[in-house]
Amino acid sequence: WPRRCGCGRCLYADVHGGLTVSATQRVLIVDQSPESREVLRTALERHGTEIIEACRHRQGLEMARTEQPDVIVLDMADRAASGEPSPAEFGAAVGTRETPIVVLGTARCPTPLRNGEFVAKPYHYRPLIRKIEELLGRPAKTADNAKSTPSL
């Protein structure tokens, strides 16, 4: 049931047997780095999150429009040089929904985020994953819970 986006490298996991389980929270990860996508996907899938991936911003923008994810993780490190869509364009793509956007970048986000967070690079995965889970409305893990979770 998983299918790939237009680039042929990204896993685009969306439906099984033609049905989408509405109770599953969905995160769209837009990042050129396959390693970063894999780490985030692995950690978030352990908690039952459905992951949608794109390695290019334009593909991610289309997926944001059609898939309506609950949170968007957007790596903006290469945006300035490539003229890719801005976080504001991603926000507009999901319409009237207040979809949180986590922007990853080396410089402060030039566009203010109405409903999201900026995370400066370099970052550590554990706090980033906690931030995504908070935006999904999940309780933050306690120190006791963190001990049982493999380190990322």
Short mmCIF file of all heavy atoms in Angstrom, two decimals, residues 61-125:
data_model
loop_
_atom_site.label_atom_id
_atom_site.label_comp_id
_atom_site.label_asym_id
_atom_site.label_seq_id
_atom_site.Cartn_x
_atom_site.Cartn_y
_atom_site.Cartn_z
N LEU A 61 4.45 20.68 -1.07
CA LEU A 61 3.33 21.62 -1.12
C LEU A 61 2.09 20.96 -1.68
O LEU A 61 0.98 21.11 -1.15
CB LEU A 61 3.74 22.84 -1.95
CG LEU A 61 2.78 24.02 -1.96
CD1 LEU A 61 2.59 24.58 -0.56
CD2 LEU A 61 3.30 25.09 -2.90
N GLU A 62 2.25 20.19 -2.75
CA GLU A 62 1.11 19.48 -3.33
C GLU A 62 0.56 18.44 -2.35
O GLU A 62 -0.65 18.29 -2.21
CB GLU A 62 1.51 18.81 -4.65
CG GLU A 62 0.36 18.13 -5.35
CD GLU A 62 -0.81 19.07 -5.66
OE1 GLU A 62 -0.60 20.25 -5.94
OE2 GLU A 62 -1.96 18.58 -5.60
N MET A 63 1.44 17.73 -1.65
CA MET A 63 1.00 16.75 -0.66
C MET A 63 0.28 17.42 0.50
O MET A 63 -0.69 16.89 1.03
CB MET A 63 2.19 15.93 -0.16
CG MET A 63 2.72 14.99 -1.19
SD MET A 63 4.17 14.13 -0.51
CE MET A 63 4.70 13.22 -1.93
N ALA A 64 0.74 18.61 0.90
CA ALA A 64 0.05 19.35 1.96
C ALA A 64 -1.37 19.69 1.53
O ALA A 64 -2.31 19.59 2.32
CB ALA A 64 0.83 20.63 2.30
N ARG A 65 -1.55 20.05 0.26
CA ARG A 65 -2.89 20.38 -0.25
C ARG A 65 -3.80 19.15 -0.28
O ARG A 65 -4.95 19.22 0.12
CB ARG A 65 -2.78 20.94 -1.67
CG ARG A 65 -2.31 22.33 -1.76
CD ARG A 65 -2.39 22.84 -3.21
NE ARG A 65 -1.77 24.13 -3.29
CZ ARG A 65 -0.63 24.39 -3.92
NH1 ARG A 65 0.01 23.44 -4.57
NH2 ARG A 65 -0.15 25.61 -3.92
N THR A 66 -3.27 18.05 -0.79
CA THR A 66 -4.12 16.88 -1.01
C THR A 66 -4.28 16.00 0.23
O THR A 66 -5.34 15.42 0.43
CB THR A 66 -3.59 16.01 -2.16
OG1 THR A 66 -2.26 15.59 -1.86
CG2 THR A 66 -3.59 16.78 -3.47
N GLU A 67 -3.25 15.91 1.05
CA GLU A 67 -3.27 14.98 2.18
C GLU A 67 -3.71 15.60 3.50
O GLU A 67 -4.06 14.88 4.43
CB GLU A 67 -1.90 14.33 2.36
CG GLU A 67 -1.45 13.54 1.15
CD GLU A 67 -2.39 12.40 0.81
OE1 GLU A 67 -2.94 11.76 1.73
OE2 GLU A 67 -2.57 12.14 -0.38
N GLN A 68 -3.66 16.93 3.61
CA GLN A 68 -4.09 17.63 4.82
C GLN A 68 -3.49 17.03 6.09
O GLN A 68 -4.20 16.53 6.97
CB GLN A 68 -5.62 17.65 4.90
CG GLN A 68 -6.29 18.36 3.74
CD GLN A 68 -6.07 19.87 3.79
OE1 GLN A 68 -6.45 20.50 4.75
NE2 GLN A 68 -5.45 20.41 2.76
N PRO A 69 -2.16 17.07 6.24
CA PRO A 69 -1.52 16.48 7.43
C PRO A 69 -1.84 17.27 8.69
O PRO A 69 -2.28 18.42 8.63
CB PRO A 69 -0.03 16.58 7.10
CG PRO A 69 0.07 17.76 6.19
CD PRO A 69 -1.19 17.72 5.36
N ASP A 70 -1.61 16.64 9.84
CA ASP A 70 -1.84 17.29 11.13
C ASP A 70 -0.68 18.20 11.52
O ASP A 70 -0.87 19.17 12.25
CB ASP A 70 -2.07 16.23 12.22
CG ASP A 70 -3.31 15.42 11.92
OD1 ASP A 70 -4.41 16.00 11.90
OD2 ASP A 70 -3.18 14.21 11.67
N VAL A 71 0.53 17.88 11.07
CA VAL A 71 1.73 18.69 11.31
C VAL A 71 2.60 18.59 10.05
O VAL A 71 2.67 17.54 9.42
CB VAL A 71 2.54 18.20 12.54
CG1 VAL A 71 3.88 18.92 12.66
CG2 VAL A 71 1.74 18.37 13.82
N ILE A 72 3.28 19.70 9.71
CA ILE A 72 4.22 19.71 8.60
C ILE A 72 5.60 20.02 9.16
O ILE A 72 5.76 20.99 9.91
CB ILE A 72 3.84 20.76 7.54
CG1 ILE A 72 2.47 20.46 6.95
CG2 ILE A 72 4.91 20.84 6.44
CD1 ILE A 72 1.91 21.57 6.07
N VAL A 73 6.60 19.19 8.82
CA VAL A 73 7.99 19.46 9.18
C VAL A 73 8.68 19.86 7.88
O VAL A 73 8.71 19.09 6.93
CB VAL A 73 8.67 18.22 9.80
CG1 VAL A 73 10.13 18.51 10.13
CG2 VAL A 73 7.91 17.76 11.05
N LEU A 74 9.22 21.07 7.85
CA LEU A 74 9.70 21.67 6.62
C LEU A 74 11.14 22.13 6.78
O LEU A 74 11.42 23.06 7.53
CB LEU A 74 8.80 22.85 6.28
CG LEU A 74 9.05 23.65 5.03
CD1 LEU A 74 8.96 22.77 3.79
CD2 LEU A 74 8.04 24.79 4.94
N ASP A 75 12.06 21.48 6.08
CA ASP A 75 13.46 21.88 6.10
C ASP A 75 13.65 22.99 5.08
O ASP A 75 13.46 22.79 3.89
CB ASP A 75 14.36 20.69 5.77
CG ASP A 75 15.84 21.02 5.92
OD1 ASP A 75 16.21 22.20 5.80
OD2 ASP A 75 16.61 20.09 6.14
N MET A 76 14.02 24.18 5.57
CA MET A 76 14.16 25.34 4.70
C MET A 76 15.61 25.70 4.41
O MET A 76 15.89 26.77 3.88
CB MET A 76 13.45 26.55 5.33
CG MET A 76 11.96 26.36 5.48
SD MET A 76 11.11 26.05 3.93
CE MET A 76 11.26 27.62 3.13
N ALA A 77 16.56 24.83 4.72
CA ALA A 77 17.98 25.16 4.58
C ALA A 77 18.35 25.55 3.15
O ALA A 77 19.16 26.44 2.95
CB ALA A 77 18.83 23.99 5.05
N ASP A 78 17.79 24.91 2.15
CA ASP A 78 18.16 25.17 0.77
C ASP A 78 17.14 26.01 0.02
O ASP A 78 17.24 26.20 -1.18
CB ASP A 78 18.36 23.85 0.02
CG ASP A 78 19.47 23.03 0.63
OD1 ASP A 78 20.47 23.63 1.05
OD2 ASP A 78 19.34 21.80 0.68
N ARG A 79 16.15 26.53 0.71
CA ARG A 79 15.07 27.25 0.04
C ARG A 79 15.53 28.51 -0.67
O ARG A 79 15.15 28.77 -1.80
CB ARG A 79 13.98 27.63 1.04
CG ARG A 79 12.85 28.37 0.35
CD ARG A 79 11.90 29.01 1.34
NE ARG A 79 10.96 29.81 0.62
CZ ARG A 79 11.16 31.07 0.26
NH1 ARG A 79 12.27 31.68 0.54
NH2 ARG A 79 10.25 31.74 -0.41
N ALA A 80 16.37 29.33 -0.03
CA ALA A 80 16.75 30.62 -0.59
C ALA A 80 17.40 30.46 -1.97
O ALA A 80 17.12 31.21 -2.89
CB ALA A 80 17.68 31.36 0.35
N ALA A 81 18.27 29.48 -2.08
CA ALA A 81 18.99 29.29 -3.35
C ALA A 81 18.09 28.71 -4.44
O ALA A 81 18.30 28.95 -5.60
CB ALA A 81 20.19 28.38 -3.13
N SER A 82 17.09 27.97 -4.05
CA SER A 82 16.30 27.25 -5.05
C SER A 82 14.96 27.90 -5.37
O SER A 82 14.28 27.46 -6.28
CB SER A 82 16.06 25.82 -4.57
OG SER A 82 15.31 25.85 -3.38
N GLY A 83 14.57 28.93 -4.61
CA GLY A 83 13.29 29.58 -4.87
C GLY A 83 12.10 28.71 -4.54
O GLY A 83 11.02 28.85 -5.12
N GLU A 84 12.25 27.80 -3.61
CA GLU A 84 11.17 26.89 -3.24
C GLU A 84 10.09 27.63 -2.44
O GLU A 84 10.31 28.72 -1.94
CB GLU A 84 11.75 25.74 -2.39
CG GLU A 84 12.68 24.83 -3.15
CD GLU A 84 11.98 23.90 -4.13
OE1 GLU A 84 10.74 23.85 -4.15
OE2 GLU A 84 12.68 23.22 -4.87
N PRO A 85 8.91 27.01 -2.30
CA PRO A 85 7.81 27.64 -1.57
C PRO A 85 8.18 27.97 -0.12
O PRO A 85 8.97 27.27 0.50
CB PRO A 85 6.70 26.58 -1.61
CG PRO A 85 7.04 25.71 -2.75
CD PRO A 85 8.53 25.72 -2.86
N SER A 86 7.58 29.03 0.40
CA SER A 86 7.83 29.48 1.76
C SER A 86 6.92 28.77 2.75
O SER A 86 5.92 28.16 2.35
CB SER A 86 7.58 30.98 1.85
OG SER A 86 6.19 31.23 1.73
N PRO A 87 7.23 28.87 4.05
CA PRO A 87 6.32 28.30 5.05
C PRO A 87 4.91 28.87 4.94
O PRO A 87 3.93 28.16 5.14
CB PRO A 87 6.98 28.69 6.38
CG PRO A 87 8.42 28.82 6.06
CD PRO A 87 8.46 29.37 4.66
N ALA A 88 4.80 30.15 4.59
CA ALA A 88 3.47 30.76 4.44
C ALA A 88 2.67 30.07 3.34
O ALA A 88 1.46 29.89 3.45
CB ALA A 88 3.60 32.25 4.15
N GLU A 89 3.35 29.68 2.25
CA GLU A 89 2.67 28.98 1.16
C GLU A 89 2.19 27.61 1.63
O GLU A 89 1.12 27.15 1.21
CB GLU A 89 3.60 28.85 -0.04
CG GLU A 89 3.86 30.17 -0.73
CD GLU A 89 4.87 30.05 -1.85
OE1 GLU A 89 4.45 29.75 -2.98
OE2 GLU A 89 6.06 30.26 -1.57
N PHE A 90 2.96 26.95 2.49
CA PHE A 90 2.52 25.67 3.04
C PHE A 90 1.31 25.89 3.93
O PHE A 90 0.36 25.11 3.90
CB PHE A 90 3.65 24.98 3.80
CG PHE A 90 4.56 24.18 2.93
CD1 PHE A 90 5.62 24.77 2.28
CD2 PHE A 90 4.34 22.82 2.74
CE1 PHE A 90 6.46 24.05 1.45
CE2 PHE A 90 5.18 22.08 1.92
CZ PHE A 90 6.24 22.69 1.28
N GLY A 91 1.34 26.95 4.72
CA GLY A 91 0.19 27.27 5.57
C GLY A 91 -1.06 27.52 4.75
O GLY A 91 -2.15 27.05 5.09
N ALA A 92 -0.92 28.24 3.63
CA ALA A 92 -2.05 28.52 2.76
C ALA A 92 -2.55 27.24 2.08
O ALA A 92 -3.74 27.11 1.79
CB ALA A 92 -1.66 29.56 1.71
N ALA A 93 -1.65 26.29 1.83
CA ALA A 93 -2.02 25.06 1.13
C ALA A 93 -3.01 24.22 1.92
O ALA A 93 -3.79 23.48 1.34
CB ALA A 93 -0.77 24.23 0.81
N VAL A 94 -2.97 24.32 3.23
CA VAL A 94 -3.87 23.50 4.04
C VAL A 94 -5.18 24.24 4.34
O VAL A 94 -6.00 23.77 5.11
CB VAL A 94 -3.19 23.01 5.34
CG1 VAL A 94 -2.10 22.03 5.01
CG2 VAL A 94 -2.66 24.15 6.17
N GLY A 95 -5.36 25.40 3.72
CA GLY A 95 -6.62 26.12 3.80
C GLY A 95 -6.88 26.73 5.15
O GLY A 95 -6.00 27.31 5.76
N THR A 96 -8.10 26.57 5.62
CA THR A 96 -8.52 27.21 6.86
C THR A 96 -8.05 26.46 8.09
O THR A 96 -8.17 26.97 9.19
CB THR A 96 -10.05 27.34 6.91
OG1 THR A 96 -10.61 26.03 6.79
CG2 THR A 96 -10.55 28.22 5.78
N ARG A 97 -7.54 25.26 7.93
CA ARG A 97 -7.05 24.49 9.07
C ARG A 97 -5.83 25.18 9.66
O ARG A 97 -5.03 25.75 8.96
CB ARG A 97 -6.67 23.08 8.64
CG ARG A 97 -7.87 22.27 8.18
CD ARG A 97 -7.48 20.88 7.77
NE ARG A 97 -6.88 20.18 8.88
CZ ARG A 97 -5.75 19.48 8.78
NH1 ARG A 97 -5.09 19.41 7.67
NH2 ARG A 97 -5.27 18.85 9.83
N GLU A 98 -5.68 25.09 10.95
CA GLU A 98 -4.52 25.66 11.64
C GLU A 98 -3.46 24.59 11.80
O GLU A 98 -3.13 24.16 12.90
CB GLU A 98 -4.96 26.21 13.01
CG GLU A 98 -5.83 27.44 12.91
CD GLU A 98 -5.06 28.64 12.35
OE1 GLU A 98 -3.89 28.82 12.70
OE2 GLU A 98 -5.67 29.38 11.57
N THR A 99 -2.91 24.13 10.69
CA THR A 99 -1.90 23.07 10.72
C THR A 99 -0.57 23.64 11.20
O THR A 99 -0.03 24.55 10.57
CB THR A 99 -1.72 22.46 9.33
OG1 THR A 99 -2.98 21.96 8.89
CG2 THR A 99 -0.71 21.33 9.35
N PRO A 100 -0.02 23.11 12.30
CA PRO A 100 1.28 23.58 12.77
C PRO A 100 2.38 23.20 11.78
O PRO A 100 2.35 22.13 11.18
CB PRO A 100 1.48 22.84 14.09
CG PRO A 100 0.17 22.27 14.46
CD PRO A 100 -0.61 22.12 13.19
N ILE A 101 3.34 24.11 11.63
CA ILE A 101 4.49 23.88 10.76
C ILE A 101 5.75 24.03 11.60
O ILE A 101 5.93 25.05 12.26
CB ILE A 101 4.51 24.86 9.58
CG1 ILE A 101 3.23 24.71 8.74
CG2 ILE A 101 5.75 24.63 8.72
CD1 ILE A 101 3.10 25.73 7.64
N VAL A 102 6.61 23.01 11.55
CA VAL A 102 7.91 23.08 12.20
C VAL A 102 8.92 23.37 11.10
O VAL A 102 9.11 22.56 10.20
CB VAL A 102 8.26 21.75 12.92
CG1 VAL A 102 9.64 21.84 13.54
CG2 VAL A 102 7.21 21.41 13.96
N VAL A 103 9.52 24.56 11.15
CA VAL A 103 10.48 24.98 10.14
C VAL A 103 11.89 24.72 10.67
O VAL A 103 12.25 25.19 11.75
CB VAL A 103 10.31 26.47 9.79
CG1 VAL A 103 11.37 26.93 8.81
CG2 VAL A 103 8.91 26.72 9.24
N LEU A 104 12.67 23.95 9.90
CA LEU A 104 14.05 23.66 10.25
C LEU A 104 14.94 24.52 9.35
O LEU A 104 14.74 24.54 8.13
CB LEU A 104 14.36 22.19 10.00
CG LEU A 104 13.38 21.17 10.57
CD1 LEU A 104 13.75 19.77 10.12
CD2 LEU A 104 13.34 21.27 12.08
N GLY A 105 15.90 25.22 9.93
CA GLY A 105 16.75 26.06 9.10
C GLY A 105 17.98 26.57 9.81
O GLY A 105 18.09 26.48 11.03
N THR A 106 18.90 27.11 9.02
CA THR A 106 20.13 27.66 9.57
C THR A 106 19.99 29.13 9.92
O THR A 106 20.77 29.66 10.69
CB THR A 106 21.29 27.49 8.57
OG1 THR A 106 20.91 28.07 7.33
CG2 THR A 106 21.61 26.02 8.37
N ALA A 107 19.02 29.80 9.34
CA ALA A 107 18.77 31.21 9.64
C ALA A 107 17.33 31.36 10.08
O ALA A 107 16.47 30.55 9.74
CB ALA A 107 19.02 32.06 8.41
N ARG A 108 17.06 32.36 10.86
CA ARG A 108 15.70 32.61 11.36
C ARG A 108 14.72 32.67 10.19
O ARG A 108 15.03 33.22 9.13
CB ARG A 108 15.68 33.92 12.14
CG ARG A 108 14.42 34.13 12.90
CD ARG A 108 14.47 33.34 14.20
NE ARG A 108 13.23 33.52 14.91
CZ ARG A 108 12.56 32.54 15.45
NH1 ARG A 108 13.00 31.32 15.39
NH2 ARG A 108 11.44 32.77 16.08
N CYS A 109 13.55 32.12 10.40
CA CYS A 109 12.52 32.10 9.37
C CYS A 109 12.12 33.54 9.02
O CYS A 109 11.72 34.30 9.90
CB CYS A 109 11.31 31.32 9.89
SG CYS A 109 10.02 31.11 8.69
N PRO A 110 12.23 33.96 7.75
CA PRO A 110 11.94 35.34 7.38
C PRO A 110 10.45 35.69 7.49
O PRO A 110 10.11 36.84 7.67
CB PRO A 110 12.40 35.42 5.92
CG PRO A 110 12.36 34.02 5.42
CD PRO A 110 12.63 33.14 6.61
N THR A 111 9.60 34.71 7.38
CA THR A 111 8.17 34.92 7.47
C THR A 111 7.68 34.50 8.84
O THR A 111 7.95 33.37 9.26
CB THR A 111 7.43 34.06 6.40
OG1 THR A 111 8.04 34.28 5.15
CG2 THR A 111 5.96 34.41 6.35
N PRO A 112 6.99 35.36 9.58
CA PRO A 112 6.47 34.95 10.88
C PRO A 112 5.53 33.75 10.75
O PRO A 112 4.75 33.67 9.81
CB PRO A 112 5.71 36.17 11.39
CG PRO A 112 6.11 37.30 10.50
CD PRO A 112 6.61 36.71 9.22
N LEU A 113 5.63 32.82 11.69
CA LEU A 113 4.78 31.64 11.67
C LEU A 113 3.57 31.87 12.55
O LEU A 113 3.70 32.15 13.74
CB LEU A 113 5.57 30.42 12.17
CG LEU A 113 6.80 30.05 11.37
CD1 LEU A 113 7.58 28.96 12.08
CD2 LEU A 113 6.40 29.60 9.98
N ARG A 114 2.39 31.76 11.96
CA ARG A 114 1.16 31.92 12.75
C ARG A 114 0.97 30.76 13.69
O ARG A 114 0.55 30.93 14.81
CB ARG A 114 -0.07 31.98 11.82
CG ARG A 114 -0.33 33.30 11.23
CD ARG A 114 -1.64 33.35 10.51
NE ARG A 114 -2.02 32.05 9.97
CZ ARG A 114 -3.26 31.70 9.68
NH1 ARG A 114 -4.23 32.54 9.85
NH2 ARG A 114 -3.52 30.52 9.19
N ASN A 115 1.24 29.57 13.21
CA ASN A 115 0.95 28.38 13.99
C ASN A 115 2.08 27.38 13.78
O ASN A 115 1.94 26.43 13.04
CB ASN A 115 -0.39 27.78 13.53
CG ASN A 115 -0.87 26.69 14.46
OD1 ASN A 115 -0.49 26.67 15.63
ND2 ASN A 115 -1.66 25.79 13.95
N GLY A 116 3.19 27.63 14.44
CA GLY A 116 4.30 26.71 14.26
C GLY A 116 5.52 27.11 15.06
O GLY A 116 5.45 27.99 15.91
N GLU A 117 6.61 26.46 14.75
CA GLU A 117 7.85 26.63 15.48
C GLU A 117 9.01 26.70 14.51
O GLU A 117 9.00 26.05 13.46
CB GLU A 117 8.08 25.41 16.39
CG GLU A 117 7.01 25.18 17.42
CD GLU A 117 7.12 26.10 18.60
OE1 GLU A 117 8.23 26.58 18.89
OE2 GLU A 117 6.09 26.35 19.24
N PHE A 118 10.04 27.45 14.89
CA PHE A 118 11.29 27.46 14.15
C PHE A 118 12.31 26.69 14.98
O PHE A 118 12.44 26.92 16.18
CB PHE A 118 11.78 28.89 13.92
CG PHE A 118 13.12 28.92 13.24
CD1 PHE A 118 13.21 28.77 11.86
CD2 PHE A 118 14.29 29.08 13.96
CE1 PHE A 118 14.45 28.77 11.22
CE2 PHE A 118 15.52 29.09 13.34
CZ PHE A 118 15.60 28.93 11.97
N VAL A 119 13.03 25.75 14.34
CA VAL A 119 14.08 24.98 15.01
C VAL A 119 15.37 25.21 14.23
O VAL A 119 15.44 24.89 13.04
CB VAL A 119 13.73 23.47 15.06
CG1 VAL A 119 14.86 22.68 15.69
CG2 VAL A 119 12.42 23.27 15.81
N ALA A 120 16.36 25.77 14.91
CA ALA A 120 17.63 26.10 14.26
C ALA A 120 18.48 24.85 14.08
O ALA A 120 18.51 23.96 14.93
CB ALA A 120 18.38 27.14 15.08
N LYS A 121 19.19 24.82 12.95
CA LYS A 121 20.15 23.75 12.69
C LYS A 121 21.50 24.21 13.22
O LYS A 121 21.79 25.40 13.16
CB LYS A 121 20.27 23.49 11.20
CG LYS A 121 19.08 22.77 10.63
CD LYS A 121 19.35 22.49 9.17
CE LYS A 121 18.38 21.49 8.62
NZ LYS A 121 18.71 21.08 7.26
N PRO A 122 22.31 23.34 13.71
CA PRO A 122 22.06 21.91 13.88
C PRO A 122 21.12 21.68 15.07
O PRO A 122 21.11 22.45 16.02
CB PRO A 122 23.44 21.33 14.16
CG PRO A 122 24.19 22.45 14.79
CD PRO A 122 23.65 23.71 14.18
N TYR A 123 20.34 20.65 14.99
CA TYR A 123 19.39 20.33 16.06
C TYR A 123 19.61 18.88 16.49
O TYR A 123 20.23 18.09 15.80
CB TYR A 123 17.94 20.54 15.60
CG TYR A 123 17.59 19.78 14.34
CD1 TYR A 123 17.21 18.45 14.39
CD2 TYR A 123 17.64 20.40 13.10
CE1 TYR A 123 16.90 17.75 13.24
CE2 TYR A 123 17.34 19.71 11.94
CZ TYR A 123 16.97 18.39 12.02
OH TYR A 123 16.67 17.70 10.88
N HIS A 124 19.05 18.56 17.67
CA HIS A 124 19.05 17.18 18.16
C HIS A 124 17.68 16.61 17.87
O HIS A 124 16.66 17.29 18.01
CB HIS A 124 19.35 17.14 19.66
CG HIS A 124 20.73 17.63 19.98
ND1 HIS A 124 21.84 16.85 19.80
CD2 HIS A 124 21.18 18.82 20.44
CE1 HIS A 124 22.91 17.53 20.13
NE2 HIS A 124 22.55 18.73 20.52
N TYR A 125 17.63 15.35 17.49
CA TYR A 125 16.36 14.72 17.09
C TYR A 125 15.38 14.58 18.24
O TYR A 125 14.19 14.78 18.05
CB TYR A 125 16.61 13.36 16.45
CG TYR A 125 17.11 13.47 15.03
CD1 TYR A 125 18.43 13.23 14.73
CD2 TYR A 125 16.26 13.86 14.01
CE1 TYR A 125 18.90 13.34 13.42
CE2 TYR A 125 16.71 13.98 12.71
CZ TYR A 125 18.03 13.73 12.43
OH TYR A 125 18.48 13.85 11.14
#
